[in-house]
Amino acid sequence: MKKGVTILMLLVFTLSLSAQQRSRHHFDPKKFEAEMEQYITRQAALTPVEASKFFPLYREMQKKQRVYFQEMRRCRHIDANDVEACSKAVKRMDEIDIQMKMIQQEYHLKFMNVIPANKVLEIIKAENRFHRQAFKKAAGRPASPQGN
């Protein structure tokens, strides 16, 4: 009886610990967005006024690009043995890349209408650094202190 209770307690403890670890590694898009905005604001030295003008446009751009990201993801789930489907998927992915670049170009011009071009460039660099750090963190590797 004692052995059964001990095993049961160990099982409950193990399941509880496992659930805690999963919740720690759960991706929270709101938290990710907030951390990225803080990082970009700091790295590009945006003033509160600049940030209030920039981030609504930035979020708008991301919303438009997200549709394409989702379609791009679907294109990657094609049967590798179906040559015709693969050909169509590759062509569509190329079209999506072009569309996303056009959105990016459109919004970069909008950004430069509300904040100086040098800060737009710093934002682009900061966003790239932030994403590299996030991927390293997700892969379990420590991010470098310089953000590279």
Side-chain angles (χ1 to χ4, degrees):
M1 184 71 166
K2 276 186 175 182
K3 193 175 186 180
V5 171
T6 303
I7 291 172
L8 183 61
M9 293 294 285
L10 227 108
L11 181 63
V12 168
F13 177 74
T14 303
L15 290 174
S16 171
L17 186 61
S18 175
Q20 287 176 3
Q21 288 176 343
R22 272 196 308 272
S23 68
R24 260 190 252 138
H25 297 292
H26 178 70
F27 179 73
D28 181 354
K30 297 276 188 208
K31 181 180 176 191
F32 181 83
E33 182 179 289
E35 288 174 356
M36 182 171 59
E37 289 183 10
Q38 288 174 356
Y39 184 84
I40 288 171
T41 300
R42 203 172 43 253
Q43 294 295 310
L46 295 178
T47 67
V49 171
E50 290 170 332
S52 71
K53 291 178 181 178
F54 168 74
F55 282 112
L57 288 172
Y58 182 77
R59 288 184 209 108
E60 189 178 293
M61 177 186 76
Q62 286 188 317
K63 185 177 179 182
K64 287 182 179 181
Q65 287 181 323
R66 198 168 294 121
V67 174
Y68 289 106
F69 283 131
Q70 290 167 348
E71 188 177 348
M72 181 86 74
R73 211 170 323 160
R74 283 192 300 271
C75 286
R76 291 190 178 117
H77 297 289
I78 302 296
D79 179 10
N81 296 318
D82 185 344
V83 176
E84 187 177 333
C86 289
S87 175
K88 287 180 182 177
V90 168
K91 289 174 184 174
R92 183 61 189 143
M93 289 170 64
D94 288 344
E95 291 169 0
I96 291 169
D97 277 338
I98 292 167
Q99 288 297 316
M100 287 177 49
K101 266 304 183 194
M102 289 173 68
I103 290 169
Q104 200 174 45
Q105 183 180 35
E106 171 192 346
Y107 277 87
H108 286 171
L109 292 172
K110 288 182 180 185
F111 297 162
M112 288 189 288
N113 285 328
V114 296
I115 60 175
N118 61 327
K119 289 198 175 188
V120 173
L121 182 59
E122 286 304 315
I123 287 168
I124 293 167
K125 291 180 193 177
E127 181 186 22
N128 289 333
R129 282 191 305 266
F130 181 84
H131 284 116
R132 276 197 313 271
Q133 288 176 2
F135 286 128
K136 285 180 182 179
K137 184 178 176 184
R141 297 182 304 198
S144 65
Q146 294 87 16
N148 294 329

